[in-house]
């Protein structure tokens, strides 16, 4: 993906008109309401469809069949979808500001490739077969690639172009390694095939507990970086004039994106387009201010992820289509539309 040299953001006035702030706040409340509806649908819809009353009984009153389905299976799946969706949306918003590329996503810096390569290594060379084992390998792989991209991009002298080019080169190399290992090792191919499409179906309370600290830490760091990233997105000279510490902001942004994307990918595999589409669409009605983009992205990304998961469970009953496939089917045409619209706007 080519890196756009044009900043994705322009600074807004220090004082936003009260009516505009009220509209944005009302929009956030509406987004939260939509997220709650989608979360309820995620718990209620599956191979066995449950009513709202049955979901309520399963959550709070019943200890039988409904509780087994609702609490043991669907609740963990829904909670993980909420956490992973928010993480992907926030990491996409951070990377789009960091690289000044409004069509950037977590895969641009090689984080997905690092996680995938680490998992296939764990399967093929260390015999790891459990999801709990994949989590740590995937997270360490994403973290290692994030550090390598930062080093190759120039460390303290890193620029958006260098970071993007480093990430693209590392991704190509790692995906070549990934394909080679899976071709040579049939067992690794069989196990890896399910993980690489991206799925919430293997969610458990243990998986959530393992990734939750990283997701919370990455989320807090991303929100702290909103204001300095607003300055960085305007260009190096302007950011320096506004008092932003470019090296520190870029390093912490890389760290936040790596933690968020690494933990999300570790939990359910690489899920594409969520981190690209949602921040880009949100920017069209919030404006360029990351202090608004990030909350909206953290709320609407789980809406997209859980909604896609529900669609995948409905269209193939009693089986299901994995959420990573659904987001790819939806995201491909949307991505083409965004690219064409941006190209038209530049003519």
């Amino acid at each position: 993906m080519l890196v756009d040299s044009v900043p994705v953001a322009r600074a807004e006035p220090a004082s936003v008109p009260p009516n505009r702030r009220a509209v944005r706040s009302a929009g956030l409340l509406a987004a939260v309401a939509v997220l709650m509806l989608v979360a309820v649908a995620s718990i209620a819809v599956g191979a066995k469809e449950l009513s709202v009353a049955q979901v309520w009984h399963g959550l709070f009153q019943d200890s039988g069949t409904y509780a087994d389905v609702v609490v043991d299976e669907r609740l963990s799946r829904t909670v993980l979808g909420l956490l992973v969706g928010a993480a992907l949306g926030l990491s996409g918003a951070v990377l789009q500001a960091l690289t000044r590329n409004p069509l950037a996503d977590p895969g641009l810096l090689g984080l997905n490739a690092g996680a995938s390569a680490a998992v296939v290594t764990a399967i093929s060379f260390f015999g790891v077969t459990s999801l709990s084992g994949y989590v740590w390998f995937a997270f360490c792989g994403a973290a290692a690639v994030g550090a390598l991209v930062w080093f190759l991009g120039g460390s303290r002298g890193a620029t958006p172009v260098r970071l993007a080019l480093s990430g693209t080169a590392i991704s190509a190399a790692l995906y070549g390694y990934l394909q080679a290992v899976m071709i040579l090792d049939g067992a690794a191919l069989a196990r890896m095939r399910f993980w690489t499409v991206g799925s919430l179906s293997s969610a458990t309370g243990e998986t959530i507990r393992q990734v939750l600290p990283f997701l919370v830490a990455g989320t807090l760091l991303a929100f702290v970086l909103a204001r300095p990233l607003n300055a960085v997105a305007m260009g190096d000279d302007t950011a320096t004039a506004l008092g932003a510490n470019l090296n520190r902001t870029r390093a912490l942004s890389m760290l936040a994106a790596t933690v968020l994307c690494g933990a999300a990918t570790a939990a359910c595999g690489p899920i594409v387009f969520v981190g690209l589409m949602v921040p880009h669409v949100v920017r069209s009605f919030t404006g360029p201010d990351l202090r608004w983009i990030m909350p909206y992205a953290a709320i609407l990304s789980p809406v997209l992820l859980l909604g896609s998961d529900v669609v995948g469970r409905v269209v193939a009953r009693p089986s299901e289509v994995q959420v990573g496939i659904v987001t790819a089917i939806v995201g491909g045409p949307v991505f083409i539309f965004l690219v064409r619209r941006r190209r038209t706007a530049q003519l």
Side-chain angles (χ1 to χ4, degrees):
M1 185 183 298
L2 295 177
V3 178
D4 196 329
S5 61
V6 179
V8 300
R10 298 289 183 191
E12 291 191 339
S15 58
V16 179
N19 58 338
R20 188 173 183 183
R21 187 181 295 112
V23 170
R24 288 171 170 176
S25 300
L28 275 179
L29 292 176
V32 171
V34 173
L35 179 58
M36 293 175 64
L37 291 175
V38 173
V40 171
S42 177
I43 297 174
V45 176
K48 178 179 176 62
E49 188 169 358
L50 302 177
S51 67
V52 175
Q54 290 170 333
V55 171
W56 180 268
H57 279 285
L59 287 172
F60 301 108
Q61 298 178 15
D62 187 59
S63 59
T65 304
Y66 294 150
D68 293 339
V69 174
V70 173
V71 177
D72 296 342
E73 298 178 17
R74 298 185 187 175
L75 184 60
S76 295
R77 184 172 185 155
T78 301
V79 171
L80 185 62
L82 291 170
L83 295 173
V84 168
L88 292 174
L90 285 173
S91 63
V94 169
L95 290 176
Q96 287 174 13
L98 176 66
T99 61
R100 300 177 202 155
N101 183 354
L103 297 179
D105 73 336
L108 181 64
L109 298 187
L111 304 181
N112 287 343
S116 299
V119 170
V120 77
T121 299
I123 293 172
S124 184
F125 296 105
F126 297 100
V128 178
T129 59
S130 66
L131 181 63
S132 60
Y134 297 166
V135 166
W136 292 106
F137 275 91
F139 182 79
C140 291
V145 169
L148 182 59
V149 168
W150 177 249
F151 174 76
L152 294 178
S155 301
R156 295 180 63 85
T159 64
V161 173
R162 289 179 180 177
L163 291 175
L165 291 176
S166 299
T168 301
I170 292 173
S171 292
L174 289 179
Y175 278 124
Y177 163 78
L178 188 75
Q179 296 300 320
V181 172
M182 289 196 296
I183 290 173
L184 295 174
D185 188 342
L189 173 61
R191 297 192 188 103
M192 190 71 181
R193 184 168 49 193
F194 177 79
W195 187 84
T196 52
V197 298
S199 173
L200 297 173
S201 60
S202 299
T204 63
E206 180 60 27
T207 302
I208 294 172
R209 284 190 291 271
Q210 287 179 331
V211 300
L212 182 60
F214 299 104
L215 295 176
V216 171
T219 298
L220 293 176
L221 181 57
F223 277 104
V224 169
L225 289 169
R227 186 182 293 272
L229 275 173
N230 276 340
V232 170
M234 297 170 62
D236 291 0
D237 293 339
T238 303
T240 302
L242 292 173
N245 188 318
L246 293 176
N247 292 326
R248 182 176 62 190
T249 300
R250 285 173 178 154
L252 291 178
S253 297
M254 278 291 298
L255 177 62
T258 299
V259 170
L260 288 168
C261 182
T265 305
C268 51
I271 296 177
V272 297
F273 287 118
V274 175
L276 183 155
M277 286 191 297
V278 176
H280 188 83
V281 172
V282 164
R283 188 180 296 107
S284 67
F285 60 83
T286 64
D289 192 344
L290 283 164
R291 292 172 296 177
W292 287 101
I293 293 174
M294 286 186 178
Y296 269 100
I299 295 171
L300 294 179
S301 294
V303 170
L304 174 61
L305 187 62
L306 288 178
S308 299
D309 190 43
V310 171
V311 170
R313 282 183 264 173
V314 170
V315 298
R317 279 180 178 167
S319 185
E320 66 177 74
V321 178
Q322 305 304 321
V323 66
I325 298 175
V326 178
T327 58
I329 292 173
V330 173
V334 172
F335 178 71
I336 293 172
F337 169 76
L338 294 176
V339 171
R340 287 183 61 85
R341 187 180 70 170
R342 180 164 183 79
R343 180 178 297 176
T344 302
Q346 291 177 339
L347 293 178

